[in-house]
Every structure is written in C-alpha cells, then in structure tokens.
Amino acid sequence: MLEHRLTDIEDPAIQILGQLANYVDVQGDLIENGHIKNMVSLMKSRNHETSSGAILAMLSILPHSRIRYHKAIEEDVVVTLVNHLKHQKKSLFAAYAFSRILDYDNIRTAIIRLSAPDYIISAVKQGFFNATVENEPGKEVLGRLMSNDELRAAVLKAHTTAALCTMFKRGDTALNHAAFDFLDIVSDYQAKIPIFRAIVAALDHQKWASQSNAAMALHTLFGILDSSSERTFVTQEFRSVILEEISQILRLLVHDRSYRVVGGAAALLALSNDETVRTCVREHRDFKFARSEHFSKNRKLQYHGSDPREEDVHKMLDRLFAAMEESPNRRGAPKFPEVHSMPARSPLVTSLAILSCIFYIPCGLTTMLAGWAIDEAET
C-alpha cells in the first residue's frame, strides 16, 4: 500500500497500523523483524507518493517510546528527514513531519544536532513554505516548528537575518510574502528586537553587500515600500522596534571607522522616506554631531584593509544629510551611491616602505619602485 500511495486506501491502513502499535507484541515485531528498517527504506524512495506514505506510517508509530527510542529512529528516520529538508520537492513534507514529532526530546535533539535549523531557514529563504502540504498551509507548518523554544532559538541563529535580507533584496512578491510570514510568526515570541539587532550587526560589517542588504531589509520592515494589508501587522510591530532602537544605528554614524559610518548612513538613508524617522534622526545628538563634523571637514576617519574609499564615504554622507532635509513625498526604494573598497596594497609596496626605513633607500628610488609595484598590482 505504501509503495503506491492512494489516500482512500493508505490512510485507513496507517490508522490501523497506529492502533496495532499500541500492543507491546506488535511493537516488538516491528522492531525485531526489520519492519522499521523497511519503512525507512521506503522513506528514501524517489517516488513522492511512496516516500510520503512511509513517513506518515512512521509518524503513526512514533508516539510509543519503545519504538521512538530504538536506535534506528535517530540513526535512520531523523537523518532521512533532514536529508529531505535539503531538496525542493521533499522539503515541505519533511518539515511537516518534523512539526508533528517535535515534542519528543530525543528526536528534537537529533534534529538540531543534524543542522536541521539551517535547512529550515534555507526552505524559508526559497519560499517553500508558501505551498500546501497534507491540506495544510505551509505557514501553519512553519508556525508549529517555531512554537518550540529550543528549535526556534536554533533557527534564529542560523543566518536568519542574512536570509531575510537576501529575500527582501530580490524584490520578488512570493519571497516577500514568505519573509513576512516568517516575521509574522516570530513576532509572537518576542523575537523582533533580536532580529533588529542582527540586522544592525549586518550593518556593522566591512562588506558593502552585507550592509546594503541589511539597509534594504530595514526599509522593507518599516513598511515604506507599500502599505498592503498583508504587511500591516508585521510593519507595525517592527516600526516601533526600529524607532525605539534607532540610536544603535546612529551610534555607527559617529564611529571613527569608515565602514561603520557607511553602514549607519545606508540604514538611515533607507529609512529617510518617513517623516517620523527624519524628525527623530535630526533631533538626535549623534546625527547633529556627525553632520557638523562632516560639513566643517574636521572629522578624520580611519581607513584600513578593504574599507570603503574615502570619496564614497563622503558621497554617502552627502546623500544622507540631503535626504534628511527633503519633503516626505518621495517614494520607492532608496538609491545608494556606489561604494567600492579601497584598492588592495601590493605586498611589494609594503615591503619597500619597510626597507626604506631600515636601510635608508633613497626616496627617489623608493618612489620609483613603489610606483612600479602599484602599476603591477592594478594590472
């Protein structure tokens, strides 16, 4: 029956199996005569009907501790379901299965140990939970998974913010829907501030790609792109958090390291369409200090390694200070100036600088050699 799944035949068979498993002798037979191993084999089938039928049959017997604590469950069943999470066609069904057995401590521990949280957030990122499984919306399955404190904590640590930033950046309606479904779910568990702070952490990153993605995530979470009813609840929840915690972003703006200034400026620029934000920012002492120092040209920022170029930092700040004074009738996504890292210094240039200090190489010769080294590095 499991090999050729037919709902009207198989589901009663699964129910009967679950009832028979109440008897100790049946449990022993399932374990000792290899029936669990056979079901695991069917779970691995490439045929979706066969695989899903075997999984449902397995779920029907897991409530019994004698079966649940059999080594095959952790070694084979959980491993198989985690592997299914990695594949587009099987991912949602595997998530559905896990959502049904999360209350079992040994299974939940194995799920987390086998990196299932990483694959769950990957499924969110790809929009797999937008679909329906076993006549149940994917959002409800995800909600059931996230209702478990231990698993939710693991998922939130699994590059969740980077995934959300990437989803928002793509501008795809289905992915935006998936992202907001996820945020809607975690909003019930006081996870808004951790997510906001994780976004701020992404702003405090030397790579511009990470910073711009995080800034766009803030822009979308604030509800600036549109005010559809689908987004109302989530955006209201996050608007208050962003306004209350905006000092964390302004703290980046007054830092002496250039890349942090760019991250803070990009985030504020992304939020600058909103009059409430602009008023709040303009009145903050950190913003007043940063603007005064910028226009008086008194500020000396530090530039190291792959920090953004000085001219790009100035362009970003010019754009930000102008945006904070504009009227509130602007719409659409923010337009960031281009940001490039400083060109990498050739090891030969560094070596020549050191040698000139140690051996007193004449300045003219050092300059000539250094210029040649720079030309070689740029070609």
Side-chain angles (χ1 to χ4, degrees):
M1 291 182 187
L2 295 180
E3 292 181 8
H4 306 284
R5 188 181 181 195
L6 296 173
T7 303
D8 57 340
I9 297 175
E10 181 197 78
D11 286 355
I14 290 172
Q15 292 173 15
I16 293 171
L17 176 62
Q19 292 171 4
L20 289 173
N22 287 318
Y23 299 99
V24 176
D25 57 336
V26 174
Q27 294 174 19
D29 183 61
L30 288 170
I31 294 170
E32 295 164 11
N33 293 325
H35 298 305
I36 289 179
K37 288 281 187 181
N38 290 337
M39 277 194 281
V40 170
S41 179
L42 291 173
M43 286 172 60
K44 297 177 181 179
S45 172
R46 293 185 178 182
N47 182 282
H48 176 71
E49 288 74 17
T50 300
S51 174
S52 61
I55 291 171
L56 292 175
M58 185 66 72
L59 294 181
S60 74
I61 64 175
L62 286 180
H64 307 289
S65 59
R66 183 182 179 187
I67 294 174
R68 189 166 65 250
Y69 282 96
H70 188 269
K71 65 178 182 179
I73 301 303
E74 289 185 27
E75 293 178 1
D76 296 321
V77 174
V78 177
V79 170
T80 298
L81 289 175
V82 169
N83 286 333
H84 284 190
L85 276 177
K86 304 175 188 179
H87 301 286
Q88 180 177 353
K89 292 182 179 180
K90 296 183 176 182
S91 180
L92 183 55
F93 201 94
Y96 168 81
F98 279 139
S99 75
R100 296 264 305 273
I101 54 179
L102 271 180
D103 290 338
Y104 306 136
D105 292 344
N106 67 314
I107 291 179
R108 184 175 61 253
T109 301
I111 289 171
I112 295 173
R113 187 182 69 248
L114 293 168
S115 301
D118 292 318
Y119 303 126
I120 290 171
I121 201 61
S122 177
V124 171
K125 181 180 176 180
Q126 297 177 75
F128 294 165
F129 287 97
N130 286 350
T132 300
V133 58
E134 294 297 297
N135 298 316
E136 185 175 8
K139 182 180 179 180
E140 293 184 12
V141 173
L142 182 59
R144 205 157 51 242
L145 289 171
M146 298 301 289
S147 68
N148 182 273
D149 294 343
E150 191 177 353
L151 182 63
R152 183 176 65 255
V155 169
L156 290 175
K157 291 179 181 178
H159 310 292
T160 299
T161 304
L164 291 171
C165 291
T166 301
M167 294 165 77
F168 286 138
K169 182 185 179 185
R170 290 181 183 175
D172 181 89
T173 301
L175 291 182
N176 278 0
H177 177 84
F180 275 97
D181 276 351
F182 176 81
L183 291 168
D184 192 4
I185 290 167
V186 299
S187 292
D188 292 335
Y189 301 102
Q190 304 301 315
K192 298 181 292 297
I193 291 179
I195 286 178
F196 171 79
R197 290 179 178 170
I199 292 175
V200 172
L203 293 169
D204 189 7
H205 196 288
Q206 201 173 21
K207 290 186 178 179
W208 167 240
S210 173
Q211 294 176 317
S212 60
N213 286 352
M216 285 304 302
L218 283 177
H219 178 83
T220 309
L221 284 178
F222 205 82
I224 294 173
L225 286 179
D226 65 57
S227 57
S228 64
S229 57
E230 173 189 323
R231 301 180 176 207
T232 300
F233 172 75
V234 174
T235 55
Q236 286 177 351
E237 290 283 311
F238 277 92
R239 281 174 74 94
S240 61
V241 170
I242 291 170
L243 287 171
E244 289 169 7
E245 300 280 327
I246 204 165
S247 60
Q248 292 192 45
I249 299 174
L250 284 156
R251 201 171 296 142
L252 294 174
L253 197 65
V254 296
H255 203 279
D256 60 358
R257 189 69 182 270
S258 58
Y259 77 85
R260 290 193 169 106
V261 173
V262 167
L268 294 172
L269 184 59
L271 298 170
S272 65
N273 283 19
D274 187 87
E275 177 62 29
T276 305
V277 171
R278 292 205 304 278
T279 300
C280 176
V281 169
R282 285 197 301 260
E283 294 175 353
H284 199 282
R285 65 178 182 277
D286 286 344
F287 179 80
K288 292 178 180 178
F289 173 80
R291 181 173 57 186
S292 172
E293 291 293 296
H294 176 69
F295 287 115
S296 65
K297 302 187 185 302
N298 290 330
R299 194 169 182 192
K300 302 298 181 184
L301 296 177
Q302 296 181 26
Y303 295 85
H304 303 289
S306 57
D307 282 0
R309 301 181 306 183
E310 185 175 4
E311 58 265 37
D312 294 339
V313 176
H314 288 302
K315 287 178 184 177
M316 181 69 75
L317 290 173
D318 286 339
R319 182 77 59 87
L320 170 65
F321 295 132
M324 285 296 164
E325 303 299 333
E326 292 181 7
S327 60
N329 59 357
R330 294 177 296 113
R331 291 290 182 270
K335 295 181 180 179
F336 300 120
E338 291 188 10
V339 176
H340 302 279
S341 299
M342 295 188 301
R345 173 181 286 186
S346 166
L348 181 56
V349 174
T350 304
S351 301
L352 287 170
I354 295 172
L355 287 171
S356 67
C357 295
I358 297 174
F359 297 108
Y360 301 103
I361 298 176
C363 293
L365 178 59
T366 302
T367 302
M368 180 185 72
L369 291 172
W372 172 78
I374 292 171
D375 289 340
E376 287 296 311
E378 290 180 347
T379 56

